[in-house]
Amino acid sequence: MKSAQIRYLSSQINRKTVSIIGSGPSGFYTAYHLLKKSPIPLDVTIWEKLPVPFGLSRYGVAPDHPEVKNCEETFTTCAEEYSIPTNKKHKLSFVGGVTVGKEVTLETLLNNQDAVVLSYGCTGDKKLNIPGEQGTKGVFSSREFVNWYNGHPDFAKDKRFTDFDWSRVSKVGIIGNGNVALDITRVLISNKIDEIWQNTDISPIALNLVKKAPVKNIKLIARRDFVHSRFTNKELRELWELERYGVRGCIDSKFFQKDMFDSFKSDRAFNRRVEMCSEYLKPFGERSKKNYKKAPPPTSGCNKFWELDYLKTPLEINQDESDVIKSLTLCNNQLKEDNSLKPLKDSNNILTYDMDLLITSLGYAGVPMPEFSKLSIRFDRDHVANKQGRVLTVAGEIFPHLYASGWIRKGSQGVIASTMQDAFEVGDRVIQDLSVSGVLSSEKSIGLSNIKHTTWADWERINKKELTRGQKEHKPRSKFLTLEELWHNVEEV
Ligand SMILES: Cc1cc2nc3c(=O)[nH]c(=O)nc-3n(C[C@H](O)[C@H](O)[C@H](O)COP(=O)(O)OP(=O)(O)OC[C@H]3O[C@@H](n4cnc5c(N)ncnc54)[C@H](O)[C@@H]3O)c2cc1C
């Protein structure tokens, strides 16, 4: 934590100033692109509400997928190259532990910077909006659950998780079947397999608690049919491959039979998905394709199941007398020719699943910043209204020198590669506009003397300590799990 004021004019170079709000992949890739491509000298500041950088790369991506976090190396190289005071053309500052909208207002940034980029991701939850969704113990959103197992300081010690009785969790429901739902299924169904989890940076608090759960069955429940499944083949295959540990997948034959999908023959990725499922649904010895026969299931058989369930709409979450989830009431859906859904709510089509844990995995929701209404910034449902990354006012005009990139620009969709592409495009717009605008703010600075914050050097100290702790435990890192611990470890010892 540094009390010294960040100085924006560290040398004789007259730089234009850009503030980026959020240090996830979109914020960092926007900064990276600006610094690599701008012909005009730039002073870029990344503002991050947590004391540590990288957003969902650190707190979203599954701990058993460390290769996905390779983007952090690019961000680190970029920060190291530009954050040390030099006479380089460009300069980059990381300001962590500062929420824009609280300690520093968006208006302050807009008044003091030549450009401001909103890259603050999607920080809310999409909801089912059914009775029992709020206030039932054992019902969590995917964002809450993922943050918890990834050691996010706002969730790692959350009592809703730590006080929950995991030892009674046998039947699990997950609403949604995107890749996040599959990540959660893997964590819940395979957590006792040390080969997968022991050497990851998953929060030990979460791992030890979910290990207590005797999970036998996980249903991934979707409103539409198999054709409309949201997961990708790679992630689905990972689940099927858990059969080597005694974890089997199933799909009811009314939702999946190979010949149901003949009209989709031209879609190669979909064909592979159909082939994969039909092969894995067969007993190991009866499979015709070699690449679905990698490792046989254990001889003692399989005792844990995940199941793809389709054409259902959740109607109500039912609690027991202690407010703990007991079951989920659903109805069957009919998918019409025009792809619209008709929930069938007559008594023949209502069903109840007993359930000890329910995760709603409907997607992360974009949330407007508190100042948007005062500043007349338009927010459309789940993202900041924008035209090619240039933010719009409520009147539909371009808001001067304000941009959006990443998930808050388009809603919570896309992987890190597409987020990067998006950030690069928005970076190009910023450069284009800065090239023609007059200098607005290069003599101004934003005083941080009274604001507790972390710098890049502080993050490097935290990082080093987490890596060292991790090394001792044979893990890539051992994260600090609370804000207090993070701030404490900023101090040099
Ligand atoms: C569970 C999960 C698993 C995923 N797995 C993969 C995967 O395996 N492979 C892959 O390619 N992609 C994966 N993704 C997608 C990937 O994480 C996103 O594409 C990417 O993180 C979006 O980047 P972003 O910068 O827009 O948002 P984020 O990563 O959410 O970053 C936003 C940042 O802004 C900060 N912030 C928020 N509000 C403020 C504020 N007011 N002031 C300052 N800072 C603020 C946040 O703390 C955060 O650090 C996954 C996503 C999720 C949710």
Side-chain angles (χ1 to χ4, degrees), residues 250-318:
C250 37
I251 319 176
D252 193 302
S253 58
K254 63 177 178 282
F255 303 125
F256 183 89
Q257 285 172 51
K258 203 174 173 192
D259 54 11
M260 278 178 172
F261 309 109
D262 286 347
S263 56
F264 296 91
K265 280 251 150 48
S266 57
D267 183 336
R268 283 179 56 200
F270 182 73
N271 271 332
R272 265 202 307 279
R273 181 178 304 176
V274 171
E275 179 189 275
M276 182 196 306
C277 292
S278 46
E279 286 291 310
Y280 274 113
L281 284 167
K282 291 179 196 162
F284 191 80
E286 291 172 26
R287 293 178 197 161
S288 51
K289 304 265 176 164
K290 228 166 124 192
N291 51 344
Y292 303 117
K293 294 174 83 170
K294 276 193 194 153
T299 42
S300 56
C302 293
N303 54 11
K304 291 174 180 234
F305 296 89
W306 54 270
E307 180 183 348
L308 298 178
D309 191 10
Y310 292 99
L311 290 167
K312 309 269 180 328
T313 293
L315 299 178
E316 182 165 6
I317 297 164
N318 310 300

Coordinates of all heavy atoms in Angstrom, one line a residue, residues 250-318:
C250 N -24.8 -39.5 -18.0 CA -26.0 -40.1 -18.6 C -26.9 -39.0 -19.2 O -26.9 -37.9 -18.8 CB -26.8 -41.0 -17.7 SG -26.9 -40.5 -16.0
I251 N -27.6 -39.4 -20.2 CA -28.6 -38.6 -20.9 C -29.8 -39.5 -21.2 O -29.6 -40.6 -21.8 CB -28.1 -38.0 -22.2 CG1 -26.7 -37.5 -22.1 CG2 -29.1 -36.8 -22.6 CD1 -26.1 -37.0 -23.5
D252 N -31.0 -39.1 -20.8 CA -32.2 -39.9 -21.0 C -32.4 -40.1 -22.5 O -32.2 -39.1 -23.3 CB -33.4 -39.2 -20.4 CG -34.6 -40.1 -20.3 OD1 -35.0 -40.6 -21.3 OD2 -35.1 -40.4 -19.2
S253 N -32.8 -41.3 -22.9 CA -32.9 -41.5 -24.4 C -34.0 -40.6 -25.0 O -34.1 -40.5 -26.2 CB -33.2 -43.0 -24.6 OG -34.4 -43.4 -23.9
K254 N -34.9 -40.1 -24.2 CA -35.9 -39.2 -24.8 C -35.3 -37.8 -25.2 O -35.8 -37.1 -26.0 CB -37.2 -39.0 -24.0 CG -37.0 -38.3 -22.6 CD -38.4 -38.2 -22.0 CE -38.3 -37.6 -20.6 NZ -37.9 -38.5 -19.6
F255 N -34.1 -37.6 -24.7 CA -33.4 -36.3 -25.1 C -32.3 -36.6 -26.1 O -31.8 -35.6 -26.7 CB -32.8 -35.6 -23.9 CG -33.9 -35.3 -22.8 CD1 -33.7 -35.7 -21.5 CD2 -35.0 -34.6 -23.2 CE1 -34.7 -35.4 -20.6 CE2 -36.0 -34.3 -22.2 CZ -35.8 -34.7 -20.9
F256 N -31.7 -37.8 -26.1 CA -30.6 -38.0 -26.9 C -30.6 -39.4 -27.5 O -30.5 -40.4 -26.8 CB -29.3 -37.9 -26.1 CG -28.1 -38.1 -26.9 CD1 -27.5 -37.0 -27.6 CD2 -27.5 -39.3 -27.1 CE1 -26.4 -37.2 -28.4 CE2 -26.4 -39.5 -27.9 CZ -25.8 -38.5 -28.5
Q257 N -30.7 -39.5 -28.8 CA -30.5 -40.7 -29.6 C -29.8 -40.3 -30.9 O -30.2 -39.3 -31.4 CB -31.8 -41.4 -29.9 CG -32.4 -42.1 -28.8 CD -33.7 -42.7 -29.1 OE1 -33.9 -43.3 -30.1 NE2 -34.7 -42.3 -28.2
K258 N -28.8 -41.0 -31.2 CA -27.9 -40.5 -32.3 C -28.7 -40.1 -33.6 O -28.4 -39.0 -34.2 CB -26.9 -41.6 -32.7 CG -25.7 -41.1 -33.4 CD -24.7 -42.2 -33.6 CE -23.5 -41.6 -34.4 NZ -22.7 -42.6 -34.9
D259 N -29.7 -40.8 -33.9 CA -30.4 -40.5 -35.2 C -31.4 -39.4 -35.1 O -32.1 -39.0 -36.0 CB -31.1 -41.8 -35.7 CG -32.0 -42.4 -34.7 OD1 -32.3 -41.8 -33.7 OD2 -32.5 -43.6 -34.9
M260 N -31.5 -38.8 -33.9 CA -32.4 -37.6 -33.7 C -31.8 -36.4 -34.4 O -32.5 -35.4 -34.6 CB -32.5 -37.2 -32.2 CG -33.4 -38.0 -31.4 SD -33.2 -37.3 -29.7 CE -34.5 -38.1 -28.8
F261 N -30.5 -36.4 -34.7 CA -29.9 -35.2 -35.1 C -29.4 -35.2 -36.6 O -28.4 -34.5 -36.9 CB -28.7 -34.9 -34.1 CG -29.1 -35.0 -32.7 CD1 -28.7 -36.0 -31.9 CD2 -29.9 -34.0 -32.2 CE1 -29.1 -36.1 -30.6 CE2 -30.4 -34.1 -30.9 CZ -29.9 -35.1 -30.1
D262 N -30.0 -36.1 -37.4 CA -29.5 -36.2 -38.8 C -29.5 -34.9 -39.5 O -28.7 -34.6 -40.4 CB -30.3 -37.3 -39.5 CG -29.9 -38.7 -39.0 OD1 -28.9 -38.8 -38.3 OD2 -30.7 -39.6 -39.3
S263 N -30.5 -34.0 -39.2 CA -30.6 -32.8 -40.0 C -29.5 -31.8 -39.7 O -29.3 -30.8 -40.3 CB -32.0 -32.1 -39.7 OG -32.1 -31.9 -38.3
F264 N -28.6 -32.1 -38.6 CA -27.5 -31.2 -38.3 C -26.2 -31.7 -38.8 O -25.2 -31.2 -38.4 CB -27.4 -31.0 -36.8 CG -28.7 -30.4 -36.2 CD1 -29.7 -31.2 -35.7 CD2 -28.8 -29.0 -36.1 CE1 -30.8 -30.6 -35.2 CE2 -29.9 -28.5 -35.5 CZ -30.9 -29.3 -35.1
K265 N -26.2 -32.6 -39.8 CA -25.0 -33.3 -40.2 C -23.9 -32.3 -40.7 O -22.8 -32.6 -40.7 CB -25.3 -34.3 -41.4 CG -25.9 -35.6 -40.9 CD -24.9 -36.7 -41.1 CE -24.9 -37.8 -40.1 NZ -26.1 -38.5 -39.8
S266 N -24.3 -31.1 -41.2 CA -23.3 -30.2 -41.7 C -22.5 -29.5 -40.7 O -21.5 -28.9 -40.9 CB -24.0 -29.2 -42.6 OG -25.0 -28.5 -41.8
D267 N -23.0 -29.5 -39.4 CA -22.2 -28.8 -38.3 C -21.2 -29.8 -37.7 O -21.6 -30.7 -37.0 CB -23.3 -28.3 -37.3 CG -22.6 -27.5 -36.2 OD1 -21.4 -27.7 -35.9 OD2 -23.3 -26.7 -35.5
R268 N -19.9 -29.6 -38.1 CA -18.9 -30.6 -37.7 C -18.8 -30.7 -36.2 O -18.6 -31.7 -35.6 CB -17.6 -30.2 -38.3 CG -17.6 -30.6 -39.8 CD -16.3 -30.3 -40.5 NE -15.2 -30.9 -39.9 CZ -13.9 -30.4 -40.1 NH1 -13.7 -29.4 -40.9 NH2 -12.9 -31.0 -39.5
A269 N -18.7 -29.5 -35.5 CA -18.5 -29.5 -34.1 C -19.7 -30.2 -33.4 O -19.5 -31.0 -32.5 CB -18.4 -28.1 -33.5
F270 N -20.9 -30.0 -33.9 CA -22.1 -30.6 -33.3 C -22.1 -32.1 -33.6 O -22.4 -32.9 -32.7 CB -23.4 -30.0 -33.8 CG -24.6 -30.6 -33.2 CD1 -24.9 -30.2 -31.9 CD2 -25.4 -31.5 -33.9 CE1 -26.1 -30.8 -31.3 CE2 -26.5 -32.0 -33.3 CZ -26.8 -31.7 -32.0
N271 N -21.6 -32.5 -34.8 CA -21.5 -33.9 -35.1 C -20.6 -34.6 -34.1 O -20.8 -35.8 -33.7 CB -21.0 -34.1 -36.5 CG -22.1 -34.1 -37.5 OD1 -23.2 -34.5 -37.1 ND2 -21.9 -33.7 -38.7
R272 N -19.4 -33.9 -33.9 CA -18.5 -34.6 -32.9 C -19.1 -34.7 -31.5 O -18.9 -35.7 -30.9 CB -17.2 -33.7 -32.8 CG -16.1 -34.1 -33.8 CD -14.8 -33.7 -33.4 NE -14.7 -32.2 -33.1 CZ -14.6 -31.3 -34.1 NH1 -14.5 -31.7 -35.4 NH2 -14.6 -30.0 -33.8
R273 N -19.9 -33.7 -31.2 CA -20.6 -33.8 -29.8 C -21.5 -35.0 -29.8 O -21.6 -35.7 -28.8 CB -21.3 -32.5 -29.6 CG -22.0 -32.5 -28.3 CD -22.7 -31.2 -28.1 NE -21.8 -30.0 -28.2 CZ -22.2 -28.8 -28.1 NH1 -23.4 -28.5 -27.9 NH2 -21.3 -27.8 -28.2
V274 N -22.3 -35.2 -30.9 CA -23.2 -36.3 -30.9 C -22.5 -37.6 -30.9 O -22.8 -38.6 -30.1 CB -24.1 -36.2 -32.2 CG1 -24.9 -37.5 -32.4 CG2 -25.0 -35.0 -32.2
E275 N -21.4 -37.7 -31.7 CA -20.6 -38.9 -31.7 C -20.0 -39.2 -30.3 O -20.1 -40.3 -29.8 CB -19.4 -38.8 -32.7 CG -18.5 -40.0 -32.7 CD -17.3 -39.8 -33.6 OE1 -17.4 -39.9 -34.8 OE2 -16.3 -39.4 -33.0
M276 N -19.5 -38.1 -29.7 CA -18.9 -38.3 -28.4 C -19.9 -38.8 -27.4 O -19.6 -39.8 -26.6 CB -18.4 -36.9 -27.9 CG -17.7 -36.9 -26.5 SD -17.6 -35.2 -25.8 CE -16.8 -34.2 -27.1
C277 N -21.1 -38.2 -27.3 CA -22.1 -38.7 -26.4 C -22.5 -40.1 -26.7 O -22.7 -40.9 -25.7 CB -23.3 -37.7 -26.3 SG -22.8 -36.1 -25.7
S278 N -22.8 -40.4 -28.0 CA -23.3 -41.8 -28.2 C -22.2 -42.8 -27.9 O -22.5 -43.9 -27.4 CB -23.8 -41.9 -29.6 OG -23.0 -41.4 -30.5
E279 N -20.9 -42.5 -28.1 CA -19.9 -43.5 -27.8 C -19.8 -43.6 -26.3 O -19.7 -44.7 -25.8 CB -18.6 -43.0 -28.4 CG -18.4 -43.2 -29.9 CD -18.4 -44.7 -30.3 OE1 -17.6 -45.4 -29.7 OE2 -19.2 -45.1 -31.2
Y280 N -19.7 -42.5 -25.6 CA -19.5 -42.6 -24.1 C -20.7 -43.2 -23.4 O -20.6 -43.8 -22.3 CB -19.2 -41.2 -23.5 CG -17.7 -40.9 -23.6 CD1 -17.2 -39.9 -24.4 CD2 -16.8 -41.6 -22.8 CE1 -15.9 -39.6 -24.4 CE2 -15.4 -41.3 -22.8 CZ -15.0 -40.3 -23.6 OH -13.6 -40.0 -23.6
L281 N -21.9 -43.1 -24.0 CA -23.1 -43.7 -23.4 C -23.1 -45.3 -23.5 O -23.7 -46.0 -22.8 CB -24.4 -43.2 -24.0 CG -24.7 -41.7 -23.6 CD1 -25.8 -41.1 -24.5 CD2 -25.2 -41.7 -22.1
K282 N -22.2 -45.8 -24.5 CA -22.1 -47.2 -24.6 C -21.2 -47.8 -23.5 O -20.3 -47.1 -23.1 CB -21.5 -47.6 -26.0 CG -22.3 -47.3 -27.2 CD -21.5 -47.7 -28.4 CE -22.1 -47.1 -29.7 NZ -21.2 -47.1 -30.8
P283 N -21.4 -49.1 -23.2 CA -20.4 -49.7 -22.3 C -19.0 -49.6 -22.9 O -18.9 -49.7 -24.2 CB -20.9 -51.1 -22.2 CG -22.3 -51.1 -22.6 CD -22.5 -50.0 -23.5
F284 N -18.0 -49.5 -22.1 CA -16.6 -49.3 -22.6 C -16.2 -50.2 -23.7 O -15.7 -49.8 -24.8 CB -15.6 -49.4 -21.4 CG -14.2 -49.0 -21.7 CD1 -13.9 -47.7 -21.7 CD2 -13.3 -49.9 -22.0 CE1 -12.6 -47.2 -22.0 CE2 -12.0 -49.5 -22.3 CZ -11.6 -48.2 -22.2
G285 N -16.5 -51.5 -23.5 CA -16.1 -52.6 -24.5 C -16.8 -52.5 -25.8 O -16.3 -53.0 -26.8
E286 N -17.9 -51.8 -25.9 CA -18.7 -51.8 -27.1 C -18.5 -50.6 -27.9 O -19.1 -50.4 -29.0 CB -20.2 -51.8 -26.7 CG -20.6 -53.2 -26.2 CD -22.1 -53.1 -25.7 OE1 -22.9 -52.3 -26.2 OE2 -22.4 -53.9 -24.8
R287 N -17.6 -49.7 -27.5 CA -17.3 -48.5 -28.3 C -16.5 -48.8 -29.5 O -15.6 -49.6 -29.5 CB -16.6 -47.5 -27.4 CG -17.4 -47.0 -26.3 CD -16.7 -46.0 -25.4 NE -17.5 -45.9 -24.1 CZ -17.0 -45.5 -23.0 NH1 -15.8 -45.0 -22.9 NH2 -17.8 -45.5 -21.9
S288 N -16.9 -48.1 -30.6 CA -16.2 -48.4 -31.9 C -15.0 -47.5 -32.1 O -14.1 -47.8 -32.9 CB -17.2 -48.3 -33.0 OG -17.9 -47.0 -32.9
K289 N -15.0 -46.3 -31.5 CA -13.9 -45.3 -31.8 C -12.9 -45.4 -30.7 O -13.2 -45.3 -29.5 CB -14.5 -43.9 -31.8 CG -15.6 -43.7 -32.9 CD -15.0 -43.2 -34.1 CE -16.1 -43.1 -35.1 NZ -15.9 -42.3 -36.3
K290 N -11.6 -45.5 -31.2 CA -10.5 -45.7 -30.2 C -10.4 -44.6 -29.2 O -10.1 -44.7 -28.1 CB -9.2 -45.8 -31.0 CG -8.4 -47.0 -30.6 CD -7.3 -47.3 -31.6 CE -5.9 -47.2 -31.1 NZ -5.0 -47.2 -32.1
N291 N -10.6 -43.3 -29.7 CA -10.3 -42.2 -28.9 C -11.4 -42.0 -27.8 O -11.3 -41.1 -27.0 CB -10.1 -40.9 -29.6 CG -11.3 -40.6 -30.6 OD1 -12.0 -41.5 -30.9 ND2 -11.4 -39.4 -31.1
Y292 N -12.4 -42.8 -27.7 CA -13.3 -42.8 -26.6 C -13.0 -44.0 -25.6 O -13.9 -44.4 -24.8 CB -14.8 -42.8 -27.0 CG -15.1 -41.6 -28.0 CD1 -15.4 -41.8 -29.3 CD2 -14.9 -40.3 -27.5 CE1 -15.7 -40.8 -30.1 CE2 -15.2 -39.3 -28.3 CZ -15.5 -39.5 -29.6 OH -15.8 -38.4 -30.5
K293 N -11.9 -44.7 -25.8 CA -11.6 -45.8 -25.0 C -10.2 -45.6 -24.4 O -9.4 -46.6 -24.3 CB -11.5 -47.1 -25.9 CG -12.9 -47.5 -26.5 CD -12.8 -48.6 -27.5 CE -12.8 -49.9 -26.8 NZ -12.9 -51.1 -27.7
K294 N -10.0 -44.4 -23.9 CA -8.6 -44.1 -23.4 C -8.3 -44.9 -22.1 O -7.3 -45.5 -22.0 CB -8.5 -42.6 -23.1 CG -8.2 -41.8 -24.4 CD -7.8 -40.4 -24.0 CE -7.7 -39.5 -25.2 NZ -7.9 -38.1 -24.9
A295 N -9.2 -44.7 -21.1 CA -8.9 -45.4 -19.8 C -10.2 -46.0 -19.3 O -11.2 -45.3 -19.2 CB -8.4 -44.4 -18.8
P296 N -10.2 -47.3 -19.1 CA -11.5 -48.0 -18.7 C -11.9 -47.6 -17.3 O -11.1 -47.1 -16.5 CB -11.1 -49.5 -18.6 CG -9.6 -49.5 -18.5 CD -9.1 -48.2 -19.0
P297 N -13.2 -47.6 -17.0 CA -13.7 -47.4 -15.7 C -13.2 -48.4 -14.7 O -12.8 -49.5 -15.1 CB -15.3 -47.5 -15.8 CG -15.5 -47.7 -17.3 CD -14.3 -48.1 -18.0
P298 N -13.2 -48.0 -13.4 CA -12.7 -49.0 -12.4 C -13.5 -50.3 -12.4 O -14.7 -50.2 -12.7 CB -12.8 -48.3 -11.1 CG -13.7 -47.1 -11.3 CD -13.7 -46.8 -12.8
T299 N -12.9 -51.4 -12.1 CA -13.7 -52.7 -12.1 C -14.8 -52.7 -11.1 O -15.8 -53.4 -11.4 CB -12.7 -53.9 -11.9 OG1 -11.9 -53.5 -10.8 CG2 -11.9 -54.2 -13.1
S300 N -14.7 -52.0 -10.1 CA -15.8 -52.0 -9.1 C -17.0 -51.2 -9.5 O -18.0 -51.0 -8.8 CB -15.3 -51.4 -7.7 OG -14.7 -50.1 -7.9
G301 N -16.9 -50.6 -10.7 CA -18.1 -49.9 -11.3 C -18.1 -48.4 -10.9 O -17.3 -47.9 -10.2
C302 N -19.2 -47.8 -11.4 CA -19.2 -46.3 -11.2 C -20.3 -46.1 -10.2 O -21.4 -46.7 -10.2 CB -19.6 -45.6 -12.5 SG -18.3 -45.8 -13.8
N303 N -20.0 -45.1 -9.3 CA -21.0 -44.8 -8.3 C -21.4 -43.4 -8.2 O -22.1 -42.9 -7.3 CB -20.6 -45.4 -6.9 CG -19.2 -44.8 -6.6 OD1 -18.7 -43.9 -7.2 ND2 -18.6 -45.4 -5.5
K304 N -20.9 -42.6 -9.1 CA -21.3 -41.1 -9.1 C -21.7 -40.8 -10.5 O -21.1 -41.2 -11.5 CB -20.1 -40.3 -8.8 CG -19.6 -40.4 -7.4 CD -18.3 -39.6 -7.2 CE -17.9 -39.7 -5.7 NZ -17.7 -38.4 -5.1
F305 N -22.8 -40.0 -10.6 CA -23.3 -39.7 -12.0 C -23.6 -38.3 -12.2 O -24.0 -37.6 -11.2 CB -24.6 -40.5 -12.2 CG -24.5 -42.0 -12.1 CD1 -24.5 -42.7 -10.9 CD2 -24.2 -42.7 -13.3 CE1 -24.3 -44.0 -10.9 CE2 -24.0 -44.0 -13.3 CZ -24.1 -44.7 -12.1
W306 N -23.3 -37.8 -13.4 CA -23.8 -36.5 -13.8 C -24.7 -36.8 -15.0 O -24.6 -37.7 -15.7 CB -22.6 -35.5 -14.2 CG -21.7 -36.1 -15.2 CD1 -20.6 -36.8 -15.0 CD2 -21.8 -35.9 -16.6 NE1 -20.0 -37.2 -16.2 CE2 -20.7 -36.6 -17.2 CE3 -22.7 -35.3 -17.5 CZ2 -20.5 -36.7 -18.6 CZ3 -22.5 -35.4 -18.8 CH2 -21.4 -36.1 -19.4
E307 N -25.7 -35.9 -15.1 CA -26.8 -36.2 -16.1 C -27.2 -34.9 -16.8 O -27.4 -33.9 -16.1 CB -28.0 -36.7 -15.3 CG -29.1 -37.1 -16.2 CD -30.3 -37.6 -15.3 OE1 -30.2 -37.8 -14.1 OE2 -31.4 -37.6 -15.9
L308 N -27.2 -35.0 -18.1 CA -27.7 -33.8 -18.9 C -29.2 -34.0 -19.0 O -29.7 -35.0 -19.5 CB -27.1 -33.8 -20.3 CG -25.6 -33.6 -20.3 CD1 -25.0 -33.7 -21.7 CD2 -25.1 -32.3 -19.6
D309 N -29.9 -33.0 -18.4 CA -31.4 -33.1 -18.4 C -31.9 -31.9 -19.2 O -31.4 -30.8 -19.1 CB -31.8 -33.0 -16.9 CG -33.3 -33.3 -16.7 OD1 -33.9 -33.7 -17.7 OD2 -33.8 -33.0 -15.6
Y310 N -33.0 -32.1 -19.9 CA -33.4 -31.1 -20.9 C -34.9 -30.8 -20.8 O -35.7 -31.5 -20.2 CB -33.1 -31.5 -22.3 CG -31.6 -31.5 -22.6 CD1 -30.9 -32.7 -22.5 CD2 -30.9 -30.4 -22.8 CE1 -29.5 -32.8 -22.8 CE2 -29.5 -30.4 -23.1 CZ -28.9 -31.6 -23.0 OH -27.5 -31.6 -23.2
L311 N -35.3 -29.7 -21.4 CA -36.7 -29.3 -21.6 C -37.5 -29.2 -20.2 O -38.6 -29.7 -20.1 CB -37.4 -30.3 -22.5 CG -36.9 -30.1 -24.0 CD1 -37.4 -31.3 -24.8 CD2 -37.4 -28.8 -24.6
K312 N -36.9 -28.4 -19.3 CA -37.5 -28.2 -18.0 C -37.4 -26.7 -17.6 O -36.4 -26.1 -17.9 CB -36.8 -29.0 -16.9 CG -36.5 -30.5 -17.1 CD -37.7 -31.3 -16.6 CE -37.5 -32.8 -16.8 NZ -36.8 -33.2 -18.0
T313 N -38.5 -26.3 -17.0 CA -38.4 -24.9 -16.4 C -38.6 -25.0 -14.9 O -39.6 -25.6 -14.4 CB -39.6 -24.0 -16.9 OG1 -39.3 -23.8 -18.3 CG2 -39.6 -22.7 -16.2
P314 N -37.6 -24.5 -14.1 CA -37.8 -24.5 -12.6 C -38.9 -23.6 -12.2 O -39.0 -22.5 -12.7 CB -36.4 -24.0 -12.1 CG -35.5 -24.0 -13.3 CD -36.3 -23.9 -14.5
L315 N -39.7 -24.1 -11.3 CA -40.9 -23.2 -10.9 C -40.8 -22.8 -9.4 O -41.2 -21.7 -9.1 CB -42.2 -24.0 -11.0 CG -42.6 -24.5 -12.4 CD1 -43.9 -25.3 -12.4 CD2 -42.8 -23.3 -13.3
E316 N -40.2 -23.6 -8.6 CA -40.2 -23.3 -7.1 C -39.1 -24.1 -6.4 O -39.0 -25.3 -6.7 CB -41.5 -23.5 -6.5 CG -41.6 -23.1 -5.0 CD -43.0 -23.0 -4.4 OE1 -43.9 -23.4 -5.2 OE2 -43.1 -22.6 -3.3
I317 N -38.4 -23.4 -5.5 CA -37.4 -24.1 -4.7 C -38.1 -24.4 -3.3 O -38.6 -23.4 -2.7 CB -36.1 -23.3 -4.5 CG1 -35.5 -23.1 -5.9 CG2 -35.1 -23.9 -3.5 CD1 -34.4 -22.0 -6.0
N318 N -38.1 -25.6 -2.9 CA -38.8 -26.0 -1.7 C -37.8 -26.2 -0.5 O -36.8 -26.8 -0.7 CB -39.6 -27.2 -1.9 CG -40.5 -27.1 -3.1 OD1 -41.3 -26.2 -3.2 ND2 -40.3 -27.9 -4.1

